[in-house]
Amino acid sequence: MEELAIMGGRPVRKTLLPYGHQWLDGGDIKAVNRVLKSDFITQGPEVQAFEKSVADYCGARYAVALASGTAALHAACWVAGISSGDEVVTTPLTFAASANAVIYCGGKPVFADIYEDTLNINPDEIRKKLSDRTKALIIVDFAGLPCALDEIKDIARQKGIVVIEDAAHALGAEYRGRKIGALSDMTILSFHPVKHITTGEGGMVLTDKGTYYEKMKIFRHHGMRPKPENGPWYYEIDEPGYNYRLTSFQCALGISQMKKLEAFIKRRRAIAGQYNEAFAAMPEIIRPVEKDYAKAVYHLYVIQIKPRTLKAGRRQVFEALRAENVGVQVHYLPVHLHPYYRNRFGYKAGDYPLAEKYYDHAITLPLFPAMKDRDVADVIKAVKKVVNYYRA
Ligand SMILES: *Cc1c(COP(=O)(O)O)cnc(C)c1O
């Protein structure tokens, strides 16, 4: 058996392969440069052009570009009217920003456990968590696989509450043949470098609802509401907003990146396919599922170590893979287990057993469009090497 790098053996790779990485090319750099040399570097025409490009791609009527995905979540919660005393049901298995946004508005995130297979929020669990104070749902298309949207929208319709879809992982994904982006009341995107397209930092809210759109534009611009009847300079603030604008040169980058999105998705799905095939015959590894109702876009490729099949736990396997220079990650510690959430709301280990069980066994493998076939082969080789070594 091959000696593991963590025990002094030779690593599969010489240099660390990250789990995610942006793809930037000459066209992107040119697009940004053009704006940097122009008169308006923050509120130029590129902002609307980028919004239109994403809205058209997703089939949504309106889009509002924001400084980050987190700002987009905040904007969505704000226009949904979430305030002190309101509850929002969301998944424990997400990046903390999905739930933090509720707290920014004074609300309480209430978690509902996931499906064991898709890792997305389970509508039956949502039903158990509804109360008189429930104002909205924040659902997350984990790793790029759409949620059970029909069931979730039925719940929201019956209850008369808003659905905010955190699609930070899911730009380009499809649910029953329709693109994510116009299927919930509001859909959130992130353009952080590890996501499907990047603007450095950046985010967006998509919606079909004109009133949300108008309010969000005011929210991202300090809460300033123009009132031309009082003069062309005149604005008023009814409620303080934020400076959550995205710059013109970032939007120019976004427009340029959108041209490559389909190719990025194709590459992500191809790499996921190679992983699926390589791990198919390994009973120690639980692979991500793809449901026939959806097209997944694989922001992440997460494997779970099947309990009791290895002599090592997740942490040991993780550290062994890192030593092989494979930049594995873990997404995510369930949100209710963060100290703030435990202390403020009394959440504790055991509250969401499926999210916690997933967390104990999950490892995210590198996956990004700029990965070479050689890189993919290295990851597969390292996983096989480590699993073979620790096989029970
Ligand atoms: C990345 C991410 C966010 C936040 O986006 P930023 O652009 O980093 O602020 C929110 N939710 C999920 C699920 C994410 O993965």
Side-chain angles (χ1 to χ4, degrees), residues 19 66-73 93-99 139-143 166-169 188-195 200-204 299-300 331-332:
Y19 91 90
L66 291 130
S68 67
T70 303
L73 281 160
L93 180 55
T94 183
F95 182 54
S98 314
I139 59 170
V140 179
D141 304 313
F142 185 78
D166 181 343
H169 297 184
I188 265 81
L189 300 171
S190 163
F191 309 124
H192 181 277
V194 297
K195 304 288 164 68
E201 299 288 354
M204 202 171 272
H299 163 55
L300 304 173
H331 299 93
Y332 304 89

Side-chain angles (χ1 to χ4, degrees), residues 141-157:
D141 304 313
F142 185 78
L145 176 67
C147 289
L149 281 169
D150 285 342
E151 291 85 342
I152 290 167
K153 279 156 72 173
D154 276 347
I155 294 173
R157 207 174 301 120

Side-chain angles (χ1 to χ4, degrees), residues 204-230:
M204 202 171 272
V205 182
L206 302 169
T207 185
D208 280 349
K209 211 164 158 177
T211 51
Y212 286 159
Y213 171 65
E214 295 302 333
K215 277 189 191 168
M216 279 189 284
K217 281 197 295 181
I218 292 171
F219 177 78
R220 80 170 161 193
H221 193 51
H222 307 280
M224 290 159 64
R225 186 168 52 80
K227 220 174 163 187
E229 61 269 35
N230 291 4

Side-chain angles (χ1 to χ4, degrees), residues 59 61 104 124 130 205-207 232 263 271 280 290 308 310 330 376:
R61 199 170 298 169
Y104 301 159
D124 295 331
L130 297 173
V205 182
L206 302 169
T207 185
I271 295 169
E290 187 162 358
R308 290 175 299 277
L310 297 181
V330 173
V376 179

Side-chain angles (χ1 to χ4, degrees), residues 1-2 4-7 284 305 308-321 324 382-392:
M1 204 174 305
E2 247 192 294
L4 299 184
I6 200 165
M7 292 160 177
E284 301 85 0
I305 307 299
R308 290 175 299 277
T309 59
L310 297 181
K311 282 177 289 194
R314 190 268 311 273
R315 177 156 185 179
Q316 265 174 299
V317 173
F318 183 100
E319 286 175 349
L321 287 167
E324 302 295 338
V383 169
K384 287 187 170 168
K385 181 180 171 185
V386 170
V387 167
N388 284 341
Y389 188 90
Y390 287 125
R391 184 164 285 129

Side-chain angles (χ1 to χ4, degrees), residues 100-239:
N100 288 348
V102 176
I103 290 166
Y104 301 159
C105 293
K108 176 184 178 186
V110 173
F111 300 99
D113 211 351
I114 57 171
Y115 283 121
E116 195 165 15
D117 60 347
T118 65
L119 307 174
N120 283 328
I121 196 165
N122 180 338
D124 295 331
E125 297 298 319
I126 294 178
R127 273 203 194 82
K128 294 183 201 163
K129 302 293 177 178
L130 297 173
S131 81
D132 294 344
R133 283 161 295 170
T134 310
K135 190 90 171 235
L137 308 176
I138 298 179
I139 59 170
V140 179
D141 304 313
F142 185 78
L145 176 67
C147 289
L149 281 169
D150 285 342
E151 291 85 342
I152 290 167
K153 279 156 72 173
D154 276 347
I155 294 173
R157 207 174 301 120
Q158 282 164 17
K159 182 89 183 144
I161 56 175
V162 177
V163 180
I164 299 169
E165 185 173 354
D166 181 343
H169 297 184
L171 175 57
E174 290 174 20
Y175 177 79
R176 299 200 191 285
R178 295 171 66 204
K179 281 228 163 62
I180 290 299
L183 308 181
S184 297
D185 296 305
M186 285 179 271
T187 302
I188 265 81
L189 300 171
S190 163
F191 309 124
H192 181 277
V194 297
K195 304 288 164 68
H196 290 76
I197 62 163
T198 191
T199 58
E201 299 288 354
M204 202 171 272
V205 182
L206 302 169
T207 185
D208 280 349
K209 211 164 158 177
T211 51
Y212 286 159
Y213 171 65
E214 295 302 333
K215 277 189 191 168
M216 279 189 284
K217 281 197 295 181
I218 292 171
F219 177 78
R220 80 170 161 193
H221 193 51
H222 307 280
M224 290 159 64
R225 186 168 52 80
K227 220 174 163 187
E229 61 269 35
N230 291 4
W233 69 88
Y234 193 88
Y235 62 84
E236 286 178 350
I237 289 173
D238 302 314
E239 224 181 308

